[in-house]
């Protein structure tokens, strides 16, 4: 019988030039008929076929997750941390191969593929320390001879749904915490990146072997299409659904989970802005903007999409950005000189071209945005990053288009720029470049940016695992990764203990019988 680990690496090109299948470095074998295809955006070739779960498979997966949870919650937290430490070691050893696989399947340049694996290693380290620090509070009681305390307990099976653009790191942000918190994990990867998930599962299995007695099915990788994901989400045995992807997906997940009052962590779309003030270091601004807007081909949730430049420095900065954009090398992400790889697929390319057409209609002056790198074949979609000078923040600017489009607008006062920053439905990331302390402090104050992330003198992308990651409004309100995000994966118990001989009631209530 096929399992979720079954897959087959094939060299069947659906088009484009060959060559993406070199050096996969993972043993993803065994035949799968009618499986899901993994297609490399690098040249449109099929990387492999993997087992496709159907909606009918969801119930069995949830049942196995419940059994694994029941066993794992009995293991002391520092021992759970030991398993995550071993996973981190496996990731260190396989960093090059896994990073390359991320590049092959998601189209990221190698540096970013490696960076994504480094993020997994970092969150494992964080979680190992956390496994000895799942602290609760001791609270002063108002009653004599009483004390109160808070204890954090494992929550239950966690369903983790991930997007194509961070095919492995987002799982790790969730799973490393969920595991030390005592939960089992079911991972529903993006249907566009099933192979990287299977590779990570192999590394996890190796860590389990080194650990010894790990309950079976503690982590399950469940590849499947959206309908399969919907069936998993609807299963009441999942105590937490942590879902990363589009706002459309998040609305569906939130609505499906709400009737049973289960927990969600939603990490959804973003339409991130940077404000460049008149005192900003424009050379720093140029570098920060180019990386944030063009890097990862604009396919980060935190990618910079809206740039507000003070009118006194606008023309100078735009000229230097245009010069920098001309130098960006777009092409094969496996080539060390490349800075921008492909879009994920044709639909992404079409959405980008549609957005640029709308921008033109709404008064925008577009530089770049055209298809390029024909040598990569007709089934791969490479574009020059686009810079669009807009007269104002029109309707298309307020939308998230998941592509390298940077809309540039002028502002006169900081209040105006902050209002523009906040005038979109999303609230993920933002940044300001200024040497004026009053401006930067205002931007990060309660009256400033309304986003979950607000950076100073850098771009909005490229978060570190130490902070809680996530955003407000249409971004979903969830927090993952560092700080106290672990509390989302545990249930809090408040306990009052009477160590006296009488029974005083709270609030001075008398009830004598
Ligand atoms: P997507 O919403 O198309 O898919 C994401 C995942 O959700 C996939 O695994 C998909 O199968 C699943 N899915 C979709 N509908 C579902 C449903 N109704 N029930 C259950 N599962 C469902 O997103 P994508 O195109 O893969 O990723 C791009 C989007 O993700 C962008 O909007 C980006 O901003 C966002 N994103 C956000 C973050 C963040 O942390 N905020 C991180 C990465 C990506």
């Amino acid at each position: 019988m096929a399992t979720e680990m079954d897959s087959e690496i094939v060299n069947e090109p659906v088009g484009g030039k060959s060559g993406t299948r070199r050096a996969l470095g993972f043993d993803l074998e065994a035949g799968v008929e009618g499986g899901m295809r993994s297609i490399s955006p690098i040249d449109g070739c099929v990387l492999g076929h993997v087992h496709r779960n159907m909606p009918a498979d969801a119930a069995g997966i949830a049942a196995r997750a419940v059994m694994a949870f029941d066993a794992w919650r009995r293991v002391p937290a520092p021992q759970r941390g030991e398993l995550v430490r071993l996973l981190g070691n496996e990731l260190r050893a396989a960093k090059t191969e896994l990073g390359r696989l991320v590049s092959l399947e998601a189209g990221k340049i190698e540096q970013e593929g490696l960076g994504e694996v480094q993020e997994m290693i970092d969150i494992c380290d964080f979680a190992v320390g956390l496994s000895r620090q799942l602290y609760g509070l001791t609270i002063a009681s108002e009653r004599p001879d009483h004390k109160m305390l808070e204890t954090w307990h494992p929550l239950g099976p966690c369903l983790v749904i991930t997007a194509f653009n961070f095919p492995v790191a987002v799982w790790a942000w969730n799973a490393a915490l969920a595991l030390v918190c005592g939960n089992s994990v079911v991972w529903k990867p993006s249907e566009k990146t099933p192979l990287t998930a299977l590779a990570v599962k192999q590394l996890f299995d190796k860590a389990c072997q080194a650990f010894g007695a790990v309950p079976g099915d503690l982590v399950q990788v469940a590849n499947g299409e959206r309908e399969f994901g919907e069936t998993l989400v609807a299963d009441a045995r999942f105590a937490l659904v942590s879902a990363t992807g589009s706002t459309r997906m998040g609305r569906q997940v939130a609505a499906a989970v709400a009737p049973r009052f289960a927990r969600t962590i939603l990490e959804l779309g973003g339409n991130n802005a940077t404000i460049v003030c008149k005192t900003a270091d424009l050379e720093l601004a140029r570098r920060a903007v180019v990386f944030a807007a063009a890097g990862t081909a604009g396919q980060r949730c935190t990618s910079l999409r809206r740039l507000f430049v003070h009118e006194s420095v606008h023309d100078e900065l735009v000229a230097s950005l245009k010069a920098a954009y001309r130098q960006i090398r777009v092409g094969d992400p496996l080539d060390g000189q490349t800075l921008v790889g492909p879009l994920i697929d044709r639909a992404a390319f079409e959405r980008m071209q549609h957005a640029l057409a709308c921008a033109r209609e709404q008064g925008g002056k577009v530089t770049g945005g055209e298809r390029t790198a024909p040598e990569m074949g007709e089934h791969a979609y490479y574009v020059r990053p686009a810079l669009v000078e807009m007269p104002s923040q029109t309707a298309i600017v307020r939308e998230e288009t998941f592509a390298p489009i940077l809309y540039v607008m002028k502002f006169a006062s900081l209040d105006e720029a902050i209002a523009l920053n906040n005038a979109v439905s999303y609230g993920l990331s933002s940044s300001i470049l200024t040497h004026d302390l009053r401006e930067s402090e205002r931007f990060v104050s309660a009256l400033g940016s309304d986003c979950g992330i607000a950076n100073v003198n850098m771009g909005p992308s490229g978060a570190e695992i130490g902070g809680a990651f996530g955003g407000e409004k249409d971004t979903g309100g969830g927090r993952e990764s560092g700080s106290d995000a672990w509390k989302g994966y545990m249930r809090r118990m408040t306990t009052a203990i009477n160590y006296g001989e009488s029974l005083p009631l709270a609030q001075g209530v008398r009830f004598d019988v």
Side-chain angles (χ1 to χ4, degrees):
M1 197 184 107
T3 72
E4 76 266 17
M5 281 301 294
D6 291 346
S7 63
E8 181 185 15
I9 299 297
V10 294
N11 288 345
E12 163 204 335
V14 293
K17 59 181 234 169
S18 62
T20 48
R21 296 147 314 276
R22 53 199 132 116
L24 280 171
F26 287 89
D27 178 25
L28 304 167
E29 289 175 46
V32 185
E33 283 183 22
M36 292 168 71
R37 290 193 313 180
S38 165
I39 297 173
S40 175
I42 295 179
D43 58 7
C45 283
V46 177
L47 289 171
H49 291 170
V50 307
H51 174 65
R52 181 199 313 262
N53 284 286
M54 304 307 284
D57 299 319
I61 291 167
R64 290 194 288 279
V66 169
M67 284 174 64
F69 168 67
D70 186 48
W72 189 238
R73 65 181 169 166
R74 295 162 201 261
V75 176
Q79 284 185 37
R80 302 193 298 244
E82 172 62 7
L83 175 61
V84 174
R85 191 183 70 79
L86 293 167
L87 173 62
N89 285 351
E90 295 300 335
L91 289 164
R92 278 186 176 84
K95 181 175 171 183
T96 309
E97 291 84 354
L98 185 58
R100 174 164 273 249
L101 190 55
V102 168
S103 294
L104 287 169
E105 205 176 32
K108 293 186 178 193
I109 60 171
E110 280 202 295
Q111 279 299 309
E112 293 188 57
L114 291 171
E116 185 161 348
V117 182
Q118 186 58 47
E119 221 172 313
M120 302 175 81
I121 296 167
D122 294 343
I123 193 69
C124 284
D125 286 354
F126 180 94
V128 174
L130 181 66
S131 71
R132 291 183 183 268
Q133 299 175 80
L134 300 170
Y135 299 139
L137 296 173
T138 307
I139 301 163
S141 169
E142 65 190 49
R143 287 168 280 188
D145 296 337
H146 280 58
K147 74 171 179 185
M148 287 172 65
L149 49 96
E150 270 182 3
T151 318
W152 293 89
H153 293 303
L155 182 66
C158 298
L159 173 60
V160 179
I161 297 172
T162 54
F164 80 84
N165 64 324
F166 275 90
V168 289
V170 167
W171 172 78
W173 288 1
N174 283 279
L177 298 192
L179 288 171
V180 299
C181 290
N183 304 316
S184 56
V185 175
V186 171
W187 180 8
K188 173 17 210 126
S190 165
E191 49 275 48
K192 293 172 190 166
T193 53
L195 275 184
T196 43
L198 293 179
V200 170
K201 177 65 163 60
Q202 285 198 352
L203 297 176
F204 181 75
D205 288 346
K206 278 192 188 176
C208 289
Q209 274 167 16
F211 182 86
V214 177
D217 300 311
L218 181 60
V219 167
Q220 298 178 73
V221 173
N223 277 309
E225 312 287 347
R226 182 186 300 176
E227 297 68 32
F228 168 63
E230 287 171 13
T231 314
L232 284 173
V233 167
D235 196 302
R237 285 168 284 194
F238 290 108
L240 167 71
V241 180
S242 175
T244 298
S246 59
T247 296
R248 177 201 54 74
M249 176 278 287
R251 283 195 210 291
Q252 291 171 356
V253 168
V257 169
R260 68 175 193 269
F261 303 115
R263 227 178 263 179
T264 53
I265 297 176
L266 298 175
E267 300 285 352
L268 311 176
N271 189 353
N272 316 295
T274 287
I275 297 171
V276 179
C277 300
K278 64 181 170 200
T279 62
D281 176 337
L282 293 188
E283 170 55 15
L284 197 101
R286 180 185 66 84
R287 292 173 51 206
V289 166
V290 174
F291 170 69
T296 332
Q299 298 173 116
R300 282 186 187 228
C301 50
T302 51
S303 286
L304 173 58
R305 311 198 184 282
R306 300 176 296 136
L307 180 64
F308 303 110
V309 189
H310 191 266
E311 56 193 5
S312 64
V313 292
H314 174 273
D315 293 355
E316 186 184 346
L317 182 62
V318 168
S320 89
L321 285 173
K322 283 184 180 170
Y325 264 49
R326 277 194 294 275
Q327 287 167 22
I328 293 174
R329 194 154 158 183
V330 181
D332 185 347
L334 300 177
D335 176 340
Q337 301 299 309
T338 298
L339 288 179
V340 172
L343 293 173
I344 187 70
D345 56 18
R346 179 180 174 158
F349 171 73
E350 286 172 354
R351 280 194 291 270
M352 177 180 180
Q353 297 310 310
H354 176 71
L356 291 176
C358 292
R360 283 191 188 94
E361 272 171 26
Q362 293 169 24
K365 191 176 135 207
V366 178
T367 308
E370 67 278 9
R371 198 163 170 194
T372 185
E375 71 280 6
M376 300 309 291
E378 60 176 313
H379 294 277
Y381 294 87
Y382 293 78
V383 288
R384 302 266 348 141
L387 190 151
V388 187
E389 293 158 84
M390 293 298 294
S392 62
Q393 183 155 258
T394 63
I396 190 65
V397 180
R398 294 195 300 274
E399 273 178 30
E400 179 197 49
T401 302
F402 215 56
I405 301 177
L406 178 64
Y407 300 108
V408 189
M409 290 147 282
K410 284 182 193 167
F411 72 88
S413 73
L414 183 61
D415 281 349
E416 179 194 354
I418 290 174
L420 287 165
N421 177 80
N422 295 347
V424 293
S425 64
Y426 303 96
L428 180 52
S429 192
S430 58
S431 77
I432 190 167
L433 286 111
T434 177
H435 281 176
D436 184 332
L437 183 68
R438 286 169 300 184
E439 288 183 330
S440 58
E441 288 293 329
R442 185 167 170 79
F443 183 70
V444 299
S445 77
L447 301 180
S449 167
D450 65 359
C451 295
I453 299 169
N455 294 334
V456 176
N457 286 329
M458 63 171 79
S461 71
E464 298 178 27
I465 60 97
F469 182 89
E472 310 304 336
K473 304 192 294 187
D474 277 359
T475 303
R479 290 298 185 277
E480 283 171 353
S481 196
S483 184
D484 64 351
W486 62 271
K487 291 177 177 169
Y489 302 81
M490 302 201 86
R491 66 186 168 87
R492 180 196 316 238
M493 181 180 283
T494 303
T495 303
I497 297 175
N498 176 5
Y499 55 88
E501 288 167 11
S502 60
L503 193 69
L505 300 180
Q507 295 88 43
V509 171
R510 297 189 65 102
F511 197 84
D512 296 327
V513 285

